[in-house]
C-alpha cells in the first residue's frame, strides 16, 4: 500500500545452531530502496529475535514514510499507513550542526 514504488528483500539469519534450545529466534532482516526507477534512499533493518525478515519490513516502511513525507502529503493526500499508527505530522525540520 505504499504509494511510491519500492524494491526489497527479506531474510533471516540464525543466532546460532542451538538457538531454540536457549530460547532465541533468528534475526529478521529487510533491505529496501525507493523509488525503483531512480533510487534516492536505501534502508536496511535487522531485528533481534524476529524469526522472520517480514517482521522488519514495517520499520523500513516507516523510515521511507518519513523520508518521502513531503511528496506523500502533496501527491497522495489520502495516504494512511496500513501497518503502523505513523502520522505525517508534525513536519520534519532540518537540523544543522554548528
Amino acid at each position: 500500500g505504499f504509494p511510491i514504488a519500492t524494491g526489497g528483500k527479506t531474510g533471516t539469519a540464525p543466532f546460532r545452531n542451538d538457538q531454540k534450545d536457549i530460547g532465541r529466534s533468528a534475526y529478521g532482516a529487510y533491505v529496501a530502496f525507493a523509488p525503483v526507477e531512480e533510487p534516492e534512499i536505501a534502508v536496511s533493518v535487522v531485528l533481534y529475535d524476529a524469526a522472520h525478515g517480514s517482521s522488519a519490513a514495517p520499520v523500513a516502511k516507516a523510515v521511507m514514510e518519513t523520508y518521502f513525507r513531503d511528496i506523500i502529503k502533496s501527491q497522495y493526500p489520502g495516504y494512511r499507513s496500513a501497518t503502523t499508527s505513523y502520522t505525517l505530522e508534525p513536519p520534519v525540520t532540518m537540523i544543522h550542526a554548528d
Side-chain angles (χ1 to χ4, degrees), residues 1-96:
F2 193 65
I4 297 167
T6 66
K9 178 68 178 113
T10 60
T12 57
F15 170 67
R16 60 189 217 192
N17 291 338
D18 65 344
Q19 65 191 21
K20 291 185 186 210
D21 296 337
I22 60 170
R24 293 286 310 274
S25 295
Y27 294 97
Y30 185 67
V31 178
F33 64 95
V36 170
E37 299 80 22
E38 293 184 42
E40 294 179 25
I41 184 173
V43 179
S44 177
V45 178
V46 178
L47 299 178
Y48 181 80
D49 280 344
H52 303 285
S54 59
S55 300
V59 177
K61 183 178 178 184
V63 171
M64 289 192 187
E65 286 171 331
T66 301
Y67 180 84
F68 291 112
R69 72 186 306 136
D70 293 335
I71 291 170
I72 294 170
K73 286 170 65 173
S74 66
Q75 296 180 19
Y76 308 94
Y79 175 79
R80 298 290 177 262
S81 179
T83 56
T84 66
S85 59
Y86 177 82
T87 178
L88 296 175
E89 300 297 337
V92 174
T93 57
M94 288 186 102
I95 299 172
H96 296 278

